[in-house]
Amino acid sequence: MKKIFFLLLSFIAISCSKDNSTETPADQLPPITTTGANTAGCIINGKVLIPKNGSQAIGGWPLYGLNLNTQGTFYPNRNGYWQLEIANKKDINGAGIILWIKNMSVGNGDYLVDQSNGELYSYGPNNNQIIAGITENGTNKTYWSSQSAGIIKITRSDLGYGIAMFSGTFNCTLYNKDNPNEIIQITDGRFDINALTLNH
């Protein structure tokens, strides 16, 4: 079984670098929109995470910091999974998260975030989850959601021929899988994705 923290920690170098400006962390995030702007971000324990592309050591395609993966959610069915990755793959120290909705059949609305097991697809839990990976000073940590840990709110899910837009917000509390007493707060999360133009 492939653990999701390998996906997060092998490809991402997460940026939680300090900003010297007078802006608050919330001011540094992209605005909450529903236009398909292909933007996303959140605050992890007071530090801003916005997606940044990285480059592979041997060349090739960029390592995109914002990725959407779906199955069965496009017209006419919405009964498949929805997965959004938000990560800084440019910097050495930083963070990345994966939002996972097990079934998008509700469409717009609130999706309760429950217990994670650190895996996706058929190996993952039969519920919505959020997973985070954080690298600081050469130390990698993986965080999982617990039962009723937060909410992913879908505010736009236009699905149809030539349309694939997802917008929403999210907040949750995660725990260190190796030290459950260590907690992180993810706040002010937002995303606005046009799947047809993302990373093109």
Side-chain angles (χ1 to χ4, degrees):
M1 295 184 184
K2 294 183 178 178
K3 296 290 184 181
I4 190 59
F5 64 85
F6 288 128
L7 171 70
L8 284 166
L9 298 177
S10 64
F11 291 122
I12 67 174
I14 302 160
S15 175
C16 294
S17 58
K18 294 182 179 179
D19 191 302
N20 293 325
S21 72
T22 58
E23 289 183 316
T24 67
D27 292 334
Q28 298 170 47
L29 292 172
I32 296 175
T33 56
T34 57
T35 60
N38 288 328
T39 56
C42 65
I43 299 172
I44 302 178
N45 274 6
K47 298 179 181 180
V48 174
L49 169 65
I50 54 174
K52 293 183 181 180
N53 296 341
S55 58
Q56 300 188 56
I58 58 174
W61 294 102
L63 298 174
Y64 292 112
L66 186 58
N67 292 288
L68 177 69
N69 189 11
T70 63
Q71 178 177 316
T73 61
F74 292 97
Y75 185 86
N77 298 314
R78 294 189 183 195
N79 61 346
Y81 67 77
W82 178 93
Q83 172 191 325
L84 181 67
E85 178 191 21
I86 305 169
N88 180 343
K89 299 184 179 180
K90 180 179 179 181
D91 301 323
I92 294 174
N93 292 310
I97 64 171
I98 289 181
L99 313 180
W100 172 273
I101 296 177
K102 180 70 176 179
N103 186 310
M104 280 282 287
S105 60
V106 174
N108 293 354
D110 292 348
Y111 291 83
L112 181 66
V113 176
D114 274 324
Q115 182 66 53
S116 173
N117 69 352
E119 300 189 26
L120 301 176
Y121 311 110
S122 60
Y123 300 112
N126 191 31
N127 54 252
N128 310 318
Q129 63 173 323
I130 294 181
I131 305 167
I134 297 179
T135 301
E136 290 183 320
N137 301 319
T139 300
N140 301 324
K141 295 182 180 180
T142 302
Y143 297 85
W144 295 351
S145 56
S146 57
Q147 188 173 2
S148 302
I151 296 288
I152 302 171
K153 184 180 186 68
I154 302 295
T155 56
R156 180 176 183 178
S157 58
D158 291 349
L159 309 175
Y161 297 112
I163 301 174
M165 292 190 185
F166 299 92
S167 304
T169 59
F170 60 94
N171 293 279
C172 67
T173 301
L174 306 182
Y175 68 92
N176 185 332
K177 76 173 187 68
D178 298 314
N179 178 12
N181 292 322
E182 182 183 347
I183 302 297
I184 61 172
Q185 298 290 335
I186 298 180
T187 60
D188 294 290
R190 73 277 313 272
F191 53 87
D192 184 19
I193 308 298
N194 182 340
L196 301 181
T197 60
L198 181 64
N199 298 328
H200 290 290

